[in-house]
Amino acid sequence: MTAWDNACFSCIKKYFDFKGRASRSEFWYYILLQFTLNVFFLSLILFCLPNAQAASIMIFLMMLINIFFGIPGLAVRVRRLHDTGRSGNWLWLLYGPLLFVCLIYLISSGYPYMRGYNVLNYLKYYDVPKYLKLILAFILAFSLAAAVVLIRFYYQESYPAENVYGPVPQKIESTEKNKYSFTEEKTSSINADELVKLKKLLDDGIITQEDFDAKKKELLGL
């Protein structure tokens, strides 16, 4: 398994785990997975646009995929902040304003006499009140600034020692690399044992020096 596979499986395994820490590799590999899935489904939606029913199905599937992978995505974001020594509450800088806009939209859409004033209609028509323009502009600017700050936090290296959120997380690596490393270590250990046995045979006079040197070169690959 590649490092990407290991990181994604690790995040899925910790689906509702908002405690502990996550390394940079685990975090960015999972973000790459979410980005890839969204690009894939957006491409399908654009391809299916001539067929409204097919496009609606793709949009619905994309929503389900984002919900399914979004929960561990939120969890790994919290653990990544923990890994830098910060609280997961920093995420409210980004998600707080966005949730506020969604809440205002839902409230305004729920009342017949306010339906002409919900967010989508304001964006659709040009007669947008100035105060609302300022509020939306401020929320957008604040959210962008918060996103930049969080990306900077996500990019930082792990806190070099154990902190209040747990020990230093292990770096996500390829299983194949670890397997080959283990095989090399095991082979070196076997060769060392063989050399010890051959040296004992040489000391006991059972084999000659020439035999010992020849076998030694064979074991060491010289």
Side-chain angles (χ1 to χ4, degrees):
M1 294 175 65
T2 64
W4 187 6
D5 297 329
N6 287 333
C8 294
F9 279 119
S10 175
C11 289
I12 297 298
K13 190 185 300 183
K14 302 172 183 176
Y15 202 89
F16 292 106
D17 186 5
F18 290 86
K19 299 178 181 179
R21 301 166 61 175
S23 64
R24 281 196 303 182
S25 55
E26 180 181 358
F27 171 79
W28 287 113
Y29 278 128
Y30 192 80
I31 295 301
L32 179 61
L33 171 66
Q34 288 187 294
F35 176 78
T36 304
L37 288 173
N38 279 293
V39 169
F40 174 73
F41 275 98
L42 283 174
S43 302
L44 289 180
I45 291 169
L46 292 175
F47 180 77
C48 296
L49 275 181
N51 188 329
Q53 184 177 3
S56 299
I57 293 174
M58 288 299 104
I59 292 173
F60 179 71
L61 288 176
M62 183 177 178
M63 290 174 60
L64 291 180
I65 291 294
N66 273 289
I67 291 172
F68 178 79
F69 287 97
I71 296 173
L74 181 61
V76 77
R77 284 170 171 82
V78 172
R79 296 199 306 274
R80 179 83 267 268
L81 289 172
H82 288 174
D83 190 42
T84 63
R86 296 178 175 87
S87 169
N89 290 327
W90 277 94
L91 288 175
W92 286 110
L93 286 177
L94 177 62
Y95 295 116
L98 298 179
L99 289 174
F100 175 76
V101 171
C102 292
L103 180 62
I104 294 299
Y105 169 68
L106 291 175
I107 293 175
S108 64
S109 299
Y111 295 92
Y113 62 87
M114 293 183 67
R115 282 179 184 162
Y117 299 94
N118 64 42
V119 175
L120 292 184
N121 283 334
Y122 274 134
L123 296 178
K124 182 178 179 181
Y125 299 107
Y126 295 101
D127 55 342
V128 180
K130 186 176 181 181
Y131 75 90
L132 184 64
K133 286 184 178 180
L134 292 175
I135 292 175
L136 292 177
F138 173 78
I139 291 175
L140 177 61
F142 185 87
S143 298
L144 289 174
V148 171
V149 170
L150 288 172
I151 290 173
R152 181 177 177 275
F153 290 165
Y154 295 147
Y155 188 73
Q156 288 181 352
E157 294 184 0
S158 300
Y159 187 77
E162 182 175 353
N163 60 21
V164 294
Y165 303 105
V168 180
Q170 293 183 348
K171 184 179 179 182
I172 300 293
E173 295 180 347
S174 170
T175 305
E176 291 295 320
K177 179 180 177 181
N178 293 337
K179 182 178 72 175
Y180 292 140
S181 176
F182 174 75
T183 303
E184 290 174 0
E185 292 176 2
K186 185 176 179 181
T187 302
S188 300
S189 177
I190 293 173
N191 290 343
D193 292 339
E194 289 292 328
L195 285 174
V196 171
K197 292 177 182 178
L198 287 173
K199 185 64 170 67
K200 189 174 185 305
L201 292 175
L202 176 63
D203 294 339
D204 294 341
I206 299 175
I207 61 173
T208 63
Q209 183 66 42
E210 290 76 11
D211 294 334
F212 175 79
D213 292 338
K215 193 65 178 176
K216 178 180 177 182
K217 289 181 180 181
E218 180 183 340
L219 291 172
L220 297 179
L222 299 176

